[in-house]
Amino acid sequence: MDVTLDQLRTLAAVVDEGTFDGASVALRVTPSAISQRIKALESACGRVLVTRTKPVQPTPPGVAMLRLARTTTRLAQDTAREIGVDTRAGYATLPIAVNADSLATWFLSALARLPARHLAVFDVHVDDQDRTFDLFHSESVLAAVTSVARPMPGCTVTTLGSMRYFACAAPDFVDAWFPEGLTHDAMAEAPLVVFNRKDTLQHRFIGEVSGAALAPPTHYLPASADFVRGIQLGLGWGLVPHLQWAALADPASLVHLAPDHPVDVPLYWQAWTLDSPPLRALTAAVQAAAGALRTP
């Protein structure tokens, strides 16, 4: 294949921005130049690489080319900085995926630890810890906090520790719905708070404790702080990260419903195997910040 760095950079921009027009703005070229580069790249590969939909999606061959695009452009940026060329090109972007609970508790301190000399900005994708791994399949991230220990081909995996959760509710909610504790009947009827429809943690806990698959009335609050605040206000009960509970101004505003039955979710850091100083530095920063988690 006879492909150029500009073509590869354009492919990544089209997928990241979701449209050809968005890529033209990001790369500061005309939309026709974006279209011409993608057509030339597809001609060189002999394959259709992206769908002409909104948002643009990579085809299976496009996913493979996108991996090459991200690796090549990342190395080109790092090499340019190392040899002192193109230092005015701006900051490199590190697309990473993280679960909302980690972002709300310990992960931001990892980003803050990255030395300023690396001239990097972060494009953070938030999803459930069971789903962040899927973003590697679309080649949209360089690294992720995930619950999946199995390494993606071309990636390294680092064990971070475990996020511990406890079933919690407001004191008045406990009095109204759980006067006899977490009984089967109470869990079947008491309103539940869940992060979003991808979040299965609460229902897995219910199955473990009750021995049955129950379907209580459910609130969905897809923001980590709002999730905890909703439980504090008595909307329902749910599994709260211990780190988040401990940081509350008034921890007594939440009662542990099953203090002897915590849920530990192992977390891992998956990152592409690239000779990239910013990515290596970010990996070290994530490992250091993960000291807030429970050790394996």
Side-chain angles (χ1 to χ4, degrees), residues 2 27 33-34 49 66 94 102 104 118 136 141 162 220 226 234 250 272 290 294-296:
D2 185 11
L27 296 181
I34 296 294
L49 300 179
L66 192 55
L94 295 179
S102 288
H118 289 295
F136 279 106
V141 298
S162 295
Y220 295 98
D226 294 336
D250 181 15
W272 288 107
R294 292 182 58 81
T295 56

Side-chain angles (χ1 to χ4, degrees), residues 170 173 190-193 219 221 226 229-237:
F173 188 91
L192 182 66
V193 180
H219 301 287
L221 294 177
D226 294 336
R229 183 61 177 154
I231 295 174
Q232 285 179 298
L233 292 173
L235 287 180
W237 68 281

Side-chain angles (χ1 to χ4, degrees), residues 12-37:
V14 166
V15 174
D16 289 344
E17 300 300 326
T19 65
F20 280 42
D21 288 342
S24 74
V25 173
L27 296 181
R28 300 180 182 179
V29 298
T30 64
S32 63
I34 296 294
S35 181
Q36 291 168 10
R37 290 179 186 178

